[in-house]
Amino acid sequence: MSHLFPTYSKWELEPESAKGSYLYCKDGGVYLDFTSGIGVCNLGHCHPEVKESVEQQLNKFWHISNLFPIDLQEKTAEILTNASGLDLVFFANSGAEANEAAIKLARKATGKTKILTFHQSFHGRTFATMSATGQDKIKQGYGPMLDKFEYVPFNDLQALEQQLTEEVAAVMLEVVQGEGGIYVASKEFLQGVEVLCKEKGALLLIDEIQTGIGRTGKAFAFQHFGIKPDIISVAKGMANGIPTGAIVADGRLKEFFGPGSHGTTFGGNPIAMAAATKTMEIIFQPTFLEEVQTKSEWIFSLLKQKLSGNQLVKDIRGLGLMIGIELDMPVVSILEELRKEGLIVLNAGEKVIRLLPSLNTPKEDIERAIAILEKNLNIHAKLTI
Ligand SMILES: *Cc1c(COP(=O)(O)O)cnc(C)c1O
């Protein structure tokens, strides 16, 4: 009997080891992992250079507390600020904690409390981030949410214009809604949001937890759209599998996070920073990011070529290597069949297959994955005729 709370309905596979885009499981099977630990291991499993960086730090010290100056925090913060065009970093341990910091900072800096987020958004599982999330299903049974969150239809600038009054502290959004179903924001929408925020004195918070760290072919997804947020939150892919998170914010917010105003014991942990610096040094190289974009174009054209004739496939969408395939049917049983055929993928909502391959997945592995998908979906299409 398991001694774990059953908060996750676990898959039948149990990995024993992992390397690159492959999982080696206890059943002896070798599986192609197109989940990357839910958008975390963007450089693939057990990346040798990240491993070496962590090992070096393991031999120096593991944890000393945020009371000391820590070189690796400064280095990681410099990489994050250089890559984002923002100025100051606070380190957290997870996505939800990063969003908590963003929400606290926005409320304190504006002296206002109302925050607008979007339908089918996902921002985390703590009280504030669960309240920020625009999906009722994760809130059931928990009683009253944190006050002052309001939800707006995604990609609907007119609706936002109506709800975005002078009382609003911040607008918080994902450039590509991940958990909600891989919905990509339009350029007009994002640019409009930025203008409206400025007009009404609201901060623009972009949740880059799933979209950041090269996932969409830029360091951060907002950079595709020529906008500048006030705060971004980062986590998942930041240290290629070692837990960490951060917010990166505009320098004019400095005074609102002064001594004693916010904190966390583990935030900026040296082991996590060693992994984060190496991960981001590799991913933020312009040639690396260009390759992600080229690979993305190639995958989307291959997917369209192989799947768009299938009558179960309603839409193929996404940005970079964050890909959604919307079907005309629930996908849970399909995910299980795909695993039996050697391919591990995620869902996003009920009817969307979500692909989050590591950013350096070789082309032949991608071709194999798409062939497995094509074969499976063709069988289902025949069954439904
Ligand atoms: C995963 C995710 C979170 C929550 O991150 P945790 O590390 O699980 O707390 C928040 N926002 C987005 C967009 C995410 O994808």
Side-chain angles (χ1 to χ4, degrees):
M1 191 203 110
S2 171
H3 295 283
L4 303 177
F5 272 110
T7 51
Y8 288 87
S9 12
K10 301 227 176 230
W11 291 340
E12 64 290 345
L13 292 175
E14 201 177 333
E16 193 153 50
S17 65
K19 190 142 190 52
S21 37
Y22 283 93
L23 295 179
Y24 302 87
C25 291
K26 288 191 176 166
D27 63 3
V30 182
Y31 296 84
L32 198 44
D33 180 8
F34 268 43
T35 73
S36 307
I38 318 191
V40 169
C41 304
N42 286 356
L43 288 173
H45 294 287
C46 299
H47 190 276
E49 287 174 68
V50 179
K51 179 168 172 258
E52 195 195 326
S53 179
V54 168
E55 278 170 352
Q56 278 176 9
Q57 188 56 40
L58 276 171
N59 290 324
K60 293 179 187 165
F61 52 77
W62 302 358
H63 179 86
I64 51 174
S65 94
N66 281 316
L67 300 171
F68 294 92
I70 299 175
D71 254 5
L72 272 173
Q73 289 185 352
E74 293 295 339
K75 195 170 161 194
T76 310
E78 194 184 338
I79 295 171
L80 282 167
T81 54
N82 281 342
S84 63
L86 292 160
D87 310 298
L88 291 169
V89 173
F90 174 86
F91 289 115
N93 304 293
S94 67
E97 277 184 53
N99 281 339
E100 284 280 337
I103 290 164
K104 283 178 74 172
L105 181 56
R107 285 172 67 142
K108 195 157 186 232
T110 59
K112 303 189 270 187
T113 47
K114 188 185 282 186
I115 293 181
L116 302 183
T117 69
F118 293 87
H119 294 175
Q120 77 278 324
S121 59
F122 182 79
H123 298 295
R125 299 287 195 152
T126 60
F127 254 99
T129 60
M130 173 173 63
S131 306
T133 294
Q135 301 185 45
D136 289 337
K137 66 175 186 207
I138 75 156
K139 305 179 187 180
Q140 277 157 22
Y142 292 113
M145 293 291 114
L146 184 65
D147 214 1
K148 298 288 185 187
F149 286 92
E150 284 183 13
Y151 316 97
V152 186
F154 194 56
N155 267 336
D156 186 340
L157 204 54
Q158 272 178 336
L160 182 71
E161 202 164 356
Q162 296 207 328
Q163 285 175 257
L164 183 42
T165 61
E166 310 274 346
E167 286 167 64
V168 172
V171 175
M172 182 169 177
L173 60 86
E174 298 154 88
V175 169
V176 184
Q177 293 186 320
E179 302 303 311
I182 313 289
Y183 293 105
V184 187
S186 74
K187 187 167 191 173
E188 305 74 63
F189 175 68
L190 287 175
Q191 293 184 342
V193 173
E194 184 183 36
V195 172
L196 287 174
C197 281
K198 286 224 171 71
E199 265 173 39
K200 304 290 180 182
L203 298 178
L204 176 54
L205 271 54
I206 298 193
D207 180 339
E208 290 271 4
I209 291 163
Q210 194 159 150
T211 52
I213 320 293
R215 175 51 60 187
T216 70
K218 299 261 186 197
F220 302 102
F222 76 83
Q223 294 167 326
H224 289 279
F225 301 92
I227 56 168
K228 187 161 191 249
D230 299 288
I231 307 174
I232 61 172
S233 47
V234 190
K236 291 196 167 87
M238 190 177 147
N240 210 54
I242 307 294
T244 191
I247 58 166
V248 197
D250 192 286
R252 72 185 198 285
L253 302 175
K254 184 172 185 176
E255 63 181 294
F256 303 103
F257 260 4
S261 59
H262 193 44
T264 158
T265 300
F266 284 125
N269 167 273
I271 305 297
M273 296 295 101
T277 49
K278 185 49 80 179
T279 301
M280 293 191 289
E281 273 170 11
I282 296 170
I283 291 179
F284 292 168
Q285 284 168 25
T287 48
F288 186 98
L289 290 170
E290 277 159 28
E291 236 168 84
V292 175
Q293 292 190 23
T294 314
K295 206 174 269 179
S296 165
E297 284 165 27
W298 174 75
I299 292 189
F300 274 101
S301 69
L302 196 62
L303 281 171
K304 284 186 178 149
Q305 181 197 327
K306 301 281 185 192
L307 301 182
S308 58
N310 186 310
Q311 86 259 26
L312 286 177
V313 176
K314 297 202 70 179
D315 195 19
I316 299 168
R317 57 176 181 258
L319 194 62
L321 293 183
M322 191 169 174
I323 299 163
I325 302 164
E326 184 173 340
L327 302 186
D328 220 356
M329 63 181 284
V331 300
V332 190
S333 61
I334 292 184
L335 300 198
E336 194 181 333
E337 291 164 16
L338 291 171
R339 287 197 295 275
K340 292 210 170 87
E341 287 155 31
L343 173 66
I344 310 177
V345 298
L346 295 160
N347 65 307
E350 200 199 346
K351 293 184 171 176
V352 179
I353 295 175
R354 175 171 38 154
L355 309 182
L356 297 171
S358 63
L359 305 179
N360 51 5
T361 304
K363 272 192 164 182
E364 53 275 20
D365 288 341
I366 292 170
E367 278 166 343
R368 257 195 65 213
I370 294 178
I372 293 172
L373 256 174
E374 185 191 10
K375 189 169 151 228
N376 179 284
L377 294 180
N378 279 343
I379 291 170
H380 280 278
K382 282 202 189 105
L383 288 175
T384 56
I385 289 173

